[in-house]
Amino acid sequence: MLTDPSRQLRLLIDSVRDHALYLLDPEGVVCSWNPGAQRIKGYAAGEVIGTHFGRFYLPAERESGEPQRLLRLAAQQGQYASEGWRLRRGGSTFRASIVIEPVVEDGELLGFVKITRDITEQWQAQRLLRDAQRALRHTQQFETVGRLSRGLSHEFNNLLTTIGNALDLLSLRVAGDVRASELLEAAQTATERGALLTRQLLAFSTGQTLIREPVDINALLQQWLPDLQRGCPAHVVLEASLAPGLPRVSTDAMQLQTALANLVANAAEATLEGGRILIGTALEHRLDPDADTALQRGYVTLSVCDEGHGMAADIAERATEPFFTTKDVGKGSGLGLSQVFGFTTQSGGFVDVSTTPGVGTTVSLLLPATEDPAHDR
C-alpha cells in the first residue's frame, strides 16, 4: 500500500527519468540523486553524492563562480531558471534547462532543489529552423536586389552607350586641342569604368547573357598579361605558370577577362611591397558539386595567388556577398568577387578560395573542360 508519505515521495522521485531531480545543501553539495539524473548525466549516485554540483558546469563557468552565483539568485528570488551547456560523464556536453528552488523552513535556508532537463534535441531543432528562416530571408533579399540590379544595369548600359558614342564623335572634332583631348580621355575612362560596373551588376543578378564559345585560356592569358601587369602597382610583380596542352573551355572570353582583372586587382591591393602575384592554369579532375553521380570530370583551373595579408575567417565567409567590401567608401563597389562567382557559376563551374592570414590568398576558377572522354573519369 502506498500510504507512507515518505515512500510515496521516494517512488515519485525515482519514477521520473526524463528529469534530473536532486537536493543540494546550502553550499551546493549534492545530497540526493534520482535515476533521471543518472540517465542524463551518466553518474551513479555513489559517484556524485557528497560532491559539489559545480562539477557539471563548463570549466570557464566554474572558474568564474557561476554555480555559486545561481544559488545566490535562487535564494534571493525564490527561484532561478535558465538554459546552458552542462557536462556529462566523460566530458561531453548537452543543452540543459535548469530550475533551482530554495528549501526554506522557519526562515532558515536548508538547501536547494535542482531540476535539470536535457533539451539538446529541441535546441538543435530550433537552431535549424532559425537558420532556415534566415536563409530564406537572405534568398528573398538577394532575389529582390537582383531584380532591381538587373533593371538598373540595363538602363545604365543604354545611357553609357549613348555617352560613349558622343565622346567618340567629339574626339574627332578636338583632335588638336590637348586640354580637350585630356578631358575626353578622362570621360571615356569613366565611361569604361561604368561599363565594367554594369557588367558586374548583370553578372550578380544573372541577367547577363554569356556569349559562350570554345576558348584557349592559355592563349588568352598570353594576350592579357601585359595589360594586367600595367594595371598592377610598380612594387608588385605579376608572374604566370601555364600548364601546356590544356583542353578548351566553353565560356565568355570578355567576362573571363573581367573576372581575371577583378582577381588581379584584389590581389594587387593585398600584396605587400616587393611581393608577387602568380597566375596559374592547370587541368584538375573533380567531382561535379551539382551532380548526383560520383563521376569526376575535367576542369581547367585558372588561379590567382597573392603573397598578401590574407583574409580573416569572418571576412572570407562574406567575401562573395554582393556589395560587401572592406574598402573605404568610393574605393570599391563590393561587386568584384560577386562578378567572379556569378560568371563562373553561369559557365558551369565553381570557385575555390584558400586564404591564410599573414600568408596570402588563392582564388581558383574551375571551368568545365569541353566534352572529351579523355578528360572525364
Side-chain angles (χ1 to χ4, degrees):
M1 297 293 292
L2 300 178
T3 56
D4 182 359
S6 298
R7 185 167 179 244
Q8 289 175 350
L9 179 61
R10 182 75 261 162
L11 289 173
L12 174 63
I13 294 175
D14 288 347
S15 297
V16 176
R17 296 186 177 273
D18 59 348
H19 288 66
L21 303 176
Y22 52 98
L23 288 172
L24 306 175
D25 73 7
E27 302 302 321
V29 175
V30 179
C31 301
S32 70
W33 194 249
N34 81 322
Q38 180 172 341
R39 186 188 69 81
I40 292 174
K41 302 194 179 186
Y43 292 96
E47 299 175 284
V48 176
I49 292 176
T51 66
H52 197 275
F53 85 112
R55 66 188 297 175
F56 306 122
Y57 286 71
L58 300 179
E61 293 179 321
R62 288 200 301 269
E63 292 173 5
S64 66
E66 181 68 4
Q68 292 81 359
R69 186 183 75 86
L70 299 188
L71 294 184
R72 289 196 299 270
L73 288 174
Q76 294 168 3
Q77 301 173 4
Q79 183 188 75
Y80 182 83
S82 69
E83 289 185 14
W85 292 103
R86 298 293 182 266
L87 294 173
R88 302 186 202 272
R89 180 174 187 155
S92 63
T93 59
F94 69 99
R95 190 72 177 178
S97 171
I98 64 108
V99 177
I100 304 175
E101 292 195 3
V103 178
V104 179
E105 185 177 58
D106 297 329
E108 180 184 359
L109 178 65
L110 302 180
F112 300 89
V113 175
K114 179 83 160 47
I115 305 171
T116 302
R117 184 163 57 95
D118 183 353
I119 60 168
T120 306
E121 291 185 2
Q122 299 95 310
W123 184 85
Q124 290 173 337
Q126 290 173 352
R127 293 272 296 185
L128 289 173
L129 177 60
R130 187 177 64 190
D131 290 346
Q133 291 172 335
R134 185 184 294 117
L136 177 60
R137 290 194 299 269
H138 195 60
T139 299
Q140 290 171 337
Q141 290 171 352
F142 266 38
E143 289 176 350
T144 301
V145 173
R147 287 193 298 269
L148 176 62
S149 299
R150 188 158 57 249
L152 288 176
S153 57
H154 280 299
E155 292 294 333
F156 191 39
N157 193 54
N158 292 336
L159 294 173
L160 288 173
T161 300
T162 302
I163 294 171
N165 291 337
L167 291 174
D168 289 338
L169 292 173
L170 283 173
S171 64
L172 299 176
R173 298 192 177 189
V174 296
D177 189 330
V178 177
R179 179 55 180 162
S181 296
E182 291 176 350
L183 293 173
L184 280 172
E185 184 178 354
Q188 287 170 330
T189 300
T191 303
E192 291 170 1
R193 174 61 179 162
L196 174 60
L197 288 174
T198 299
R199 291 197 297 272
Q200 291 175 342
L201 280 169
L202 284 170
F204 154 62
S205 66
T206 67
Q208 176 79 7
T209 301
L210 299 184
I211 303 174
R212 297 176 65 170
E213 57 183 349
V215 299
D216 182 340
I217 284 186
N218 281 350
L220 291 176
L221 284 175
Q222 295 288 3
Q223 298 174 24
W224 298 338
L225 280 173
D227 288 337
L228 291 171
Q229 178 63 77
R230 282 192 292 271
C232 293
H235 67 268
V236 174
V237 177
L238 187 64
E239 299 179 359
S241 176
L242 310 182
L246 293 179
R248 293 175 178 267
V249 297
S250 178
T251 190
D252 186 318
M254 184 177 180
Q255 286 294 315
L256 177 61
Q257 184 178 19
T258 300
L260 182 60
N262 280 326
L263 293 180
V264 171
N266 287 344
E269 289 189 5
T271 300
L272 304 178
E273 185 170 351
R276 64 171 188 156
I277 299 171
L278 177 64
I279 299 177
T281 60
L283 176 64
E284 297 186 30
H285 287 85
R286 299 278 198 97
L287 291 175
D288 184 345
D290 294 324
D292 297 328
T293 66
L295 178 68
Q296 289 189 330
R297 69 165 304 163
Y299 289 90
V300 174
T301 301
L302 171 60
S303 61
V304 176
C305 178
D306 66 60
E307 298 177 340
H309 45 66
M311 291 185 284
D314 57 333
I315 299 298
E317 186 176 349
R318 300 190 60 195
T320 61
E321 291 183 14
F323 311 115
F324 174 76
T325 179
T326 57
K327 301 174 185 176
D328 294 335
V329 175
K331 297 295 182 64
S333 64
L335 285 169
L337 278 181
S338 297
Q339 183 274 334
V340 172
F341 273 70
F343 151 73
T344 307
T345 301
Q346 283 185 273
S347 296
F350 58 96
V351 179
D352 270 352
V353 179
S354 174
T355 183
T356 304
V359 176
T361 299
T362 299
V363 181
S364 300
L365 314 186
L366 289 95
L367 301 171
T370 51
E371 296 301 326
D372 184 342
H375 297 139
D376 288 343
R377 294 178 179 174

